Amino acid sequence: GGSQPEETTFVQGQAANITDDSGAQVKLTPTIEDETDVNGNPILDANGNPLNNSGTLTVLTYPIARSVNNTGGGGVVIVRVDSTRGVQVRTSGGSAEIGTINAGTADPGPGLVFNVSGDTLNPDAGPDGIVGTGDDPFELDPNSINTMGVDLKGGRIDVFMIQGTNFQSIRNRTPGEIVNTRIGTVGLLEGTTLGIANSSLRPGMDVEGTAVADNPGSSEVEGDTFPFLHAKNAIVINGGTEANPAVVDLRATQSIGNVMIVGRAQNITANADGAGVKGVFEGIVGAIYAKGQLRSVNVGEGLMPSGTGNLGRAGIYCAAQAGSATTGLGRVEKVTNQGLNSDIRGDIVASQGVGTIALTDGSIINSDIEVLTASGAQTAVHTGSGADLSASLEFGGFAVITLDGAIDNIVTKGSGGIIGLLTRAANMGAVTSTGGFGIANSTFTVLGNGRFGAVTADGYGIRGCFWRGGQSIDSMTALGNGHRLTTSAFEPGVLLSGSLAIDPFFGTKPNPLTDLYVMTGTTPQAPQRKGVSAGGSIDLTALLVSRDVGTIKANTMRAALFNIGNNLSSISTDDYMDSVQLTAGRVDTIAIGKDALRNSLVVSGPVGNVYVGGSFRGTSSLAAGGPSGTIGTFTTGRSLYGNVSASQSIGTIRVGTVYGSQGTHSGGGLTKFVTNGDFVTSAVLDVNKTLQQLIIGGDFEDGAIVKAGVFGTTTIVGDNKGDLVTK
């Protein structure tokens, strides 16, 4: 023909039959609807003809000439499809590509409403049981009879852009893409991939439009605002305001790329069919950003890394201008995965709060989970744009932790765990990793008056971690029993160095923030290492809080630092404690299963009961100082060579074998001292006031000294060659 684009408007309700340039037969059908009354009878016009509310199509095509080598040609490119209502697309005999679908130009679809099923007398209040808060569910308006939507079926159909106002559904049920949308609200938006475009001419080459993506319902141009940078492809959904519902279900059977939402998103799911495709990563590969609320995100096969540049290459982000925990605005409520090899490597960042991160057989790997803003004060009004979250950049600017912004809890169950995690929030709930390798090389930060919940880890335990700031922590527990673990038994996502020189996700060499083999110094050929592979340790870990700690418990503790401003309920090991520095205001219980060596335990107030199952070696010390510096009981199963001191008094010291300490001291009295073995040469026991009872079950060797203000009863079973000195 004239080699010009051809635009055709069809009769209302008429379908268009097109031959795509691929040869595929494409049938375009507008929404067909005869108007009926409440009884289902046709409504007639003045002439007795049935009234019809079907859509009208206008289709723009471009003809394709024969190729220069005579190998192809004919058919048309479908540049644009306009429908006054919805549209169905059916293909056969091949695949088709459509530039733009504009639907509902004259008749928008149903909106989204809270109070499920429209029951205003008995509304669904959501999990918290309170109507009008941030968890009230929403759905398509059940009172609407408008079925406006886009439905693609048949052979593969790729659509570059879908535009319109409100939709009941947009469904690409073919293996094809929906690359961009610019729509209002939607009940269901699904496709094989969303927000991603790949060239059909050059496999692996990305395709993008010319204009920067934008959600016209917000003040910023999202495509040029963090977490994006010149982003041109995106699923754009506009609920009107950040508090309004925007989308009920957004799901891809494979991957999800960039998503920009104004309003609340109820469910976002990657790899929604749960079926893996070999060689395809079916997870979140772009940035999901909402100005409003993200209620539930399932990452499918995983969340890709955010990168170290000046954008978030992938991640989950949520901001709000008027956010709060009550309204749910500015929050990411729940992030889950779908099982083995489904890992979180990208950032999860919100301006007001993060709810639950819950993984099964997956790991959190070198990810940041944060509640912060880039504004100058915690109480400042957020801009409500992604710029609020830019401080989450790996090399970003000054970050301000949002006042009252919390991370509720982080849980991994199964063969995975937590490695290389960074969290920042006003408060941090429970962190639990069970069934896998535990928690390694991670940092947890809260505000000075913030609180940490209970920390529980299986596998190797808690290693190379840092808890900073905060008023208190409920507890810290490493659950393992000391048995040697096999590194290769854990999930493959943290074992990449066993087969790859470069981590394909981060593009760097595997390192202690991403890889268990590197962290433990093991290999696939030698997956166990003496002194490293034992389970249940708290190693190379620091805990700094200004007030209280509940319990700290592990099989072993090594090279750990505990700075506790006020009270510690108990610290205990089943096996040894080595190179632990403890500073606290008060400690109720210290229980060490076997030997204590190279430990420095300093308490400014009282210490309750101390038990050492093995020896309290000469490199260790315990001091209770201050006006209330007392020790209730101190018991060892074997020898006591380290120094034990209290500024006021000690109740009982009981030594299982040999006493050899040269600096054990009571500033007041000592009720009872018992050693079942010898009191050896150069050993000293110094009591400023009364030593009520002294029992030496072995020899009191020459050169050994006991000093006391007043001696009560003294019993020496063996040779008595030492000195009793009255002060």
Side-chain angles (χ1 to χ4, degrees):
S3 297
Q4 294 295 316
E6 177 70 24
E7 186 173 81
T8 303
T9 298
F10 294 80
V11 175
Q12 184 182 25
Q14 181 183 0
N17 293 291
I18 306 292
T19 298
D20 187 78
D21 61 326
S22 68
Q25 302 302 297
V26 182
K27 184 176 182 179
L28 307 171
T29 305
T31 298
I32 304 298
E33 184 179 287
D34 293 323
E35 294 194 33
T36 59
D37 60 22
V38 293
N39 297 315
N41 300 314
I43 298 175
L44 306 179
D45 64 14
N47 298 316
N49 298 315
L51 291 176
N52 185 278
N53 193 32
S54 298
T56 299
L57 290 179
T58 299
V59 182
L60 177 66
T61 61
Y62 188 84
I64 301 300
R66 179 182 296 183
S67 63
V68 294
N69 58 6
N70 295 321
T71 59
V76 298
V77 170
I78 305 173
V79 179
R80 187 179 68 243
V81 177
D82 295 322
S83 176
T84 57
R85 300 205 57 210
V87 62
Q88 295 179 342
V89 182
R90 300 291 184 267
T91 62
S92 61
S95 62
E97 295 179 338
I98 300 175
T100 299
I101 296 177
N102 294 316
T105 55
D107 189 4
L112 301 178
V113 294
F114 292 104
N115 302 328
V116 172
S117 301
D119 187 350
T120 56
L121 295 177
N122 299 289
D124 191 330
D128 69 358
I130 304 172
V131 176
T133 56
D135 64 347
D136 293 3
F138 52 83
E139 66 173 10
L140 286 165
D141 185 350
N143 297 315
S144 173
I145 59 173
N146 195 325
T147 59
M148 209 278 289
V150 173
D151 190 20
L152 315 176
K153 292 182 70 174
R156 175 175 178 139
I157 303 173
D158 295 322
V159 181
F160 190 73
M161 172 68 78
I162 296 177
Q163 298 183 131
T165 51
N166 298 339
F167 288 80
Q168 181 187 54
S169 63
I170 298 173
R171 305 185 70 186
N172 188 346
R173 292 188 268 184
T174 81
E177 306 163 344
I178 298 177
V179 180
N180 296 279
T181 63
R182 190 174 295 117
I183 61 174
T185 63
V186 60
L188 170 63
L189 172 56
E190 68 175 349
T192 299
T193 61
L194 300 174
I196 305 165
N198 292 294
S199 172
S200 59
L201 300 178
R202 297 184 180 182
M205 184 178 76
D206 291 336
V207 177
E208 64 180 17
T210 57
V212 172
D214 179 37
N215 195 325
S218 59
S219 58
E220 74 273 18
V221 176
E222 277 83 359
D224 274 335
T225 306
F226 184 83
F228 307 103
L229 182 65
H230 309 320
K232 296 178 180 178
N233 291 339
I235 299 297
V236 175
I237 304 172
N238 187 346
T241 71
E242 61 186 29
N244 288 348
V247 54
V248 179
D249 288 292
L250 185 153
R251 59 188 185 218
T253 56
Q254 291 185 10
S255 305
I256 299 177
N258 291 338
V259 177
M260 303 172 182
I261 298 171
V262 171
R264 303 180 193 263
Q266 197 141 279
N267 300 298
I268 298 176
T269 307
N271 194 27
D273 61 0
V277 177
K278 187 176 181 179
V280 177
F281 181 81
E282 299 178 75
I284 295 175
V285 300
I288 295 178
Y289 165 69
K291 181 178 180 179
Q293 182 187 37
L294 293 171
R295 290 187 168 178
S296 177
V297 180
N298 187 299
V299 299
E301 291 186 355
L303 173 61
M304 290 289 277
S306 299
T308 59
N310 56 348
L311 75 157
R313 295 183 62 178
I316 300 171
Y317 303 88
C318 187
Q321 186 170 8
S324 73
T326 301
T327 64
L329 297 179
R331 288 180 55 86
V332 178
E333 299 294 350
K334 187 174 184 179
V335 179
T336 57
N337 74 334
Q338 65 176 35
L340 194 65
N341 287 324
S342 177
D343 303 316
I344 290 177
R345 292 177 170 87
D347 296 347
I348 300 172
V349 188
S351 63
Q352 293 297 330
V354 174
T356 296
I357 312 297
L359 305 187
T360 299
D361 289 327
S363 298
I364 300 174
I365 306 171
N366 200 22
S367 168
D368 298 348
I369 302 176
E370 303 176 284
V371 183
L372 50 75
T373 179
S375 61
Q378 293 163 323
T379 56
V381 175
H382 298 284
T383 67
S385 76
D388 286 340
L389 312 177
S390 60
S392 66
L393 287 167
E394 197 76 11
F395 302 100
F398 182 73
V400 177
I401 293 175
T402 303
L403 194 65
D404 297 328
I407 300 171
D408 292 348
N409 55 80
I410 298 174
V411 181
T412 67
K413 297 187 294 185
S415 59
I418 299 171
I419 184 170
L421 171 64
L422 169 68
T423 71
R424 292 188 287 185
N427 293 282
M428 178 82 229
V431 179
T432 306
S433 178
T434 55
F437 61 83
I439 305 173
N441 296 341
S442 297
T443 299
F444 304 86
T445 302
V446 298
L447 292 177
N449 62 350
R451 290 167 170 80
F452 293 106
V455 179
T456 307
D458 218 336
Y460 294 115
I462 300 168
R463 301 194 180 188
C465 295
F466 188 22
W467 276 264
R468 176 175 59 190
Q471 184 221 49
S472 60
I473 183 168
D474 288 350
S475 63
M476 180 179 291
T477 306
L479 295 173
N481 57 11
H483 289 173
R484 198 172 294 178
L485 305 176
T486 301
T487 308
S488 54
F490 299 109
E491 71 111 354
V494 291
L495 304 173
L496 298 180
S497 67
S499 58
L500 300 170
I502 299 297
D503 186 317
F505 295 97
F506 291 100
T508 61
K509 291 181 64 176
N511 59 69
L513 298 178
T514 64
D515 195 271
L516 280 188
Y517 283 131
V518 177
M519 187 199 86
T520 59
T522 57
T523 65
Q525 296 74 31
Q528 293 183 344
R529 183 180 172 193
K530 184 178 180 180
V532 174
S533 296
S537 294
I538 296 179
D539 289 359
L540 295 167
T541 288
L543 169 62
L544 287 69
V545 294
S546 60
R547 292 287 294 275
D548 301 330
V549 174
T551 59
I552 302 173
K553 188 178 189 309
N555 184 65
T556 60
M557 293 184 195
R558 295 179 293 194
L561 172 67
F562 303 107
N563 286 350
I564 301 163
N566 199 40
N567 296 336
L568 169 62
S569 176
S570 69
I571 181 168
S572 63
T573 64
D574 296 327
D575 205 308
Y576 64 84
M577 181 185 288
D578 183 4
S579 302
V580 170
Q581 292 188 41
L582 167 67
T583 305
R586 172 180 178 148
V587 180
D588 294 334
T589 303
I590 299 173
I592 302 169
K594 294 184 180 177
D595 288 355
L597 57 158
R598 292 181 289 269
N599 301 299
S600 176
L601 313 176
V602 177
V603 183
S604 64
V607 176
N609 299 318
V610 181
Y611 174 80
V612 181
S615 297
F616 194 72
R617 297 194 183 180
T619 53
S620 289
S621 63
L622 167 64
S628 58
T630 60
I631 298 174
T633 64
F634 189 98
T635 304
T636 67
R638 296 179 62 82
S639 63
L640 171 56
Y641 278 87
N643 295 332
V644 178
S645 63
S647 61
Q648 298 304 313
S649 64
I650 300 176
T652 299
I653 296 177
R654 187 179 296 274
V655 182
T657 58
V658 175
Y659 177 80
S661 171
Q662 297 180 3
T664 293
H665 169 77
S666 174
L670 172 58
T671 303
K672 187 175 185 178
F673 176 92
V674 179
T675 177
N676 293 331
D678 297 337
F679 197 117
V680 300
T681 300
S682 299
V684 177
L685 174 63
D686 183 21
V687 181
N688 273 359
K689 295 184 179 179
T690 301
L691 172 55
Q692 294 183 21
Q693 188 174 14
L694 172 64
I695 300 174
I696 300 174
D699 294 337
F700 188 26
E701 295 183 356
D702 186 23
I705 301 173
V706 177
K707 300 177 182 179
V710 177
F711 283 94
T713 62
T714 299
T715 302
I716 300 173
V717 176
D719 292 340
N720 185 0
K721 297 181 179 179
D723 295 319
L724 299 178
V725 179
T726 301
K727 300 179 70 171

